[in-house]
Structures are given as structure tokens and as C-alpha cells.
């Protein structure tokens, strides 16, 4: 089957082989710190300094890692596929764009972005952030937060994502445990639209039974293979 409209969803597993921790694997981020303290509005209100330290550490770590073969394969697909294409990532790292992905949305926000609670403006923020940081737009001090979607907050770009899911004929979920909504429910939206649904993951995810196909393996192995097969079939048709 040659798709005409593709939606891809990625999670922390696609960045694991680049050296960034996942959340729910053994030794994952949520086994070391309580998400309620650092990834909820209540935790931020209670102790903003702790939250800034948590994201500062991850922002510094992100500078030291590179995209892997899976990120590059998806960027290749984005560049070569002339149909509708949307890469939806739950990740807040910048490895997809570093690999060259263009038709990309970060539904949980971005580490390298700051959101001002005073003026609502966003700014690129590659360095550390603190309660003393000043908004480059309105100059307010102490109202800058990480531009990251916390538990209980509305993910970004949902209209665009649901529009893409409603019209796709291929949906691929990569490196996600399928344990956080609404992302975990995207496979059902795509299936309702008649799409073929495929999961590429190190191990079967919580909602693997919802997929037409489930391929196990490391992202740097199974994602390039999947993309190369897809492009070969398209090339066969184009040829
Ligand atoms: N290759 C492929 N898959 C992998 C690899 C790998 N090298 N390593 C781990 N995985 C898989 C794991 O098997 C797991 O199913 O990636 C998945 C990672 O799951 P989570 O740690 O739960 O990460 P994710 O699904 O992205 O979490 C969703 O939860 O905490 C929130 O906002 C956070 O965006 C995150 C969301």
C-alpha cells in the first residue's frame, strides 16, 4: 500500500539511543523524580526553583547529544514524501529539527523555548532559566516558565493534529509507551479515518493491540528499515 497522507507520532524512545532518558523504562526519569513536583502547574507553584533546575539539567544535556539514525530517517521521509505529512512529537528535545525534519509539531512544547506568564509571549531560551530570568518581550522578571506542557495542561497544536489524523492513510507510532493521553488515543483516531496503523517500539506498548502491525526493535534499526521500504515502494510506483 502506497500512502497519500502520513502521520507519525514519536515519544522518548526515539531519542533513547542519542543518550536522552525515557520516562517509564527501568531507570527512567519518573523513577528518579516525582512528576508531580516538576511536571505539573501545582509543582511549579510550590517550588519553581526545583522545576527550573529539572529543565535546566535536561536543556544542558540536550546540547551534548546528536540526532540518531531514526531521527535522520524520518527527516528523509519528510523531505522525500510529496503527500501530506505531519511528524507529531511528544518530545521536548530538538533532535527531529536538528536532523532536518520540517513538517513537525511539538505537542508537549520545547525545552529551548520560554513562555512568559505575564505577556504570553514565547522566546528561544537555550540556556538556564530561573525565577530571576527576564522576559525579552515585556521585561518582566520572575514570570518566565519552561514552554513545556505539564500534566493537566492542554497539549499544543491539537487542531492541526486531529485534522491530520482525520485524513491520513498511514499512522506510525515510534518509541512511545502509549500511556499518556491524548497522544495514546491518536491510533484510534487514525484507524477511524481508515488508516493503516503501525507501531515501531523496543517492546509492545500498552496499546499495541490497537495497531494493525507492531514491529519490535531499536529505533535506530527498525525506523530506517521502515522508511527505506516505504520510499522504495513509492519509488517503484513513481518509476
Ligand atoms: N528504540 C525504540 N523504542 C524504545 C527505545 C529504543 N531504543 N528505548 C525505549 N523505547 C520505548 C520503550 O519501550 C517505551 O515504550 O520507548 C517508550 C518510552 O515510553 P515513555 O518513557 O513512557 O515515554 P513517552 O511514551 O514518550 O511518554 C509520553 O509522558 O511523561 C510524559 O510528557 C512526557 O512526553 C512524555 C509522555
Amino acid at each position: 500500500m502506497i500512502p497519500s497522507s502520513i502521520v507519525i507520532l514519536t515519544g522518548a524512545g526515539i531519542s533513547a539511543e542519542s543518550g536522552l532518558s525515557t520516562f517509564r523504562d527501568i531507570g527512567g526519569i519518573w523513577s528518579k523524580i516525582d512528576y508531580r513536583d516538576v511536571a505539573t502547574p501545582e509543582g511549579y507553584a510550590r517550588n519553581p526553583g526545583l522545576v527550573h533546575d529539572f529543565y535546566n539539567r535536561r536543556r544542558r544535556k540536550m546540547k551534548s547529544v546528536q540526532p540518531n539514525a531514526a531521527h535522520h530517517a524520518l527527516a528523509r521521509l519528510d523531505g522525500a514524501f510529496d503527500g501530506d505529512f505531519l511528524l507529531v512529537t511528544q518530545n521536548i528535545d530538538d533532535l527531529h529539527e536538528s536532523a532536518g525534519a520540517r513538517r513537525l509539531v511539538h505537542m508537549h512544547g520545547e525545552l529551548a523555548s520560554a513562555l512568559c506568564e505575564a505577556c504570553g509571549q514565547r522566546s528561544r531560551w537555550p540556556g538556564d532559566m530561573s525565577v530571576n530570568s527576564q522576559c525579552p518581550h515585556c521585561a518582566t522578571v520572575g514570570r518566565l516558565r519552561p514552554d513545556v506542557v505539564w500534566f493537566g495542561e492542554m497539549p499544543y497544536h491539537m487542531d492541526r493534529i486531529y485534522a491530520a489524523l482525520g485524513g491520513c492513510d498511514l499512522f506510525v507510532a515510534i518509541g512511545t509507551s502509549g500511556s499518556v493521553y491524548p497522544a495514546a488515543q491518536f491510533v484510534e483516531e487514525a484507524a477511524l479515518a481508515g488508516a493503516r496503523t503501525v507501531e515501531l517500539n523496543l517492546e509492545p506498548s500498552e496499546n499495541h493491540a490497537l495497531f494493525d502491525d507492531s514491529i519490535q526493535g531499536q529505533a535506530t534499526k527498525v525506523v530506517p528499515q521502515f522508511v527505506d521500504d516505504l520510499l522504495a515502494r513509492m519509488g517503484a510506483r513513481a518509476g
Side-chain angles (χ1 to χ4, degrees), residues 12-86:
I14 199 169
S15 298
E17 290 162 87
S18 291
L20 295 183
S21 299
T22 61
F23 293 96
R24 296 172 183 83
D25 288 321
I26 295 166
I29 292 172
W30 297 145
S31 71
K32 296 189 174 107
I33 192 163
D34 187 333
Y35 78 90
R36 290 165 296 190
D37 292 334
V38 292
T40 63
E42 297 77 12
Y44 180 64
R46 241 188 344 264
N47 188 341
L50 178 73
V51 174
H52 283 306
D53 289 346
F54 174 66
Y55 288 100
N56 289 341
R57 278 200 303 278
R58 293 176 67 192
R59 206 173 288 112
R60 285 182 224 133
K61 173 72 177 167
M62 180 172 74
K63 288 191 188 121
S64 68
V65 300
Q66 298 298 322
N68 61 51
H71 297 106
H72 286 296
L74 294 184
R76 201 163 61 246
L77 179 60
D78 183 1
F81 182 60
D82 56 10
D84 293 331
F85 179 91
L86 187 61

Side-chain angles (χ1 to χ4, degrees), residues 117-224:
E117 292 182 315
C119 70
Q121 297 272 356
R122 290 178 166 79
S123 320
R124 300 313 298 164
W125 204 271
D128 282 1
M129 196 185 299
S130 78
V131 293
N132 302 313
S133 297
Q134 180 175 35
C135 173
H137 299 282
C138 71
T140 305
V141 173
R143 300 296 310 280
L144 273 184
R145 59 167 274 185
D147 185 16
V148 171
V149 177
W150 287 326
F151 289 95
E153 295 185 322
M154 177 58 75
Y156 297 157
H157 310 291
M158 292 308 287
D159 292 346
R160 183 172 172 194
I161 292 168
Y162 279 114
L165 289 168
C168 74
D169 51 13
L170 176 62
F171 175 76
V172 187
I174 303 170
T176 181
S177 61
S179 50
V180 173
Y181 287 79
Q185 186 255 350
F186 289 172
V187 55
E188 291 169 289
E189 287 296 317
L192 278 176
R196 174 176 167 243
T197 58
V198 184
E199 173 181 84
L200 307 180
N201 210 57
L202 191 60
E203 58 202 16
S205 73
E206 287 183 25
N207 57 1
H208 72 94
L210 298 174
F211 288 83
D212 296 318
D213 299 306
S214 185
I215 301 169
Q216 269 79 58
Q218 289 190 304
T220 56
K221 306 283 181 300
V222 297
V223 177

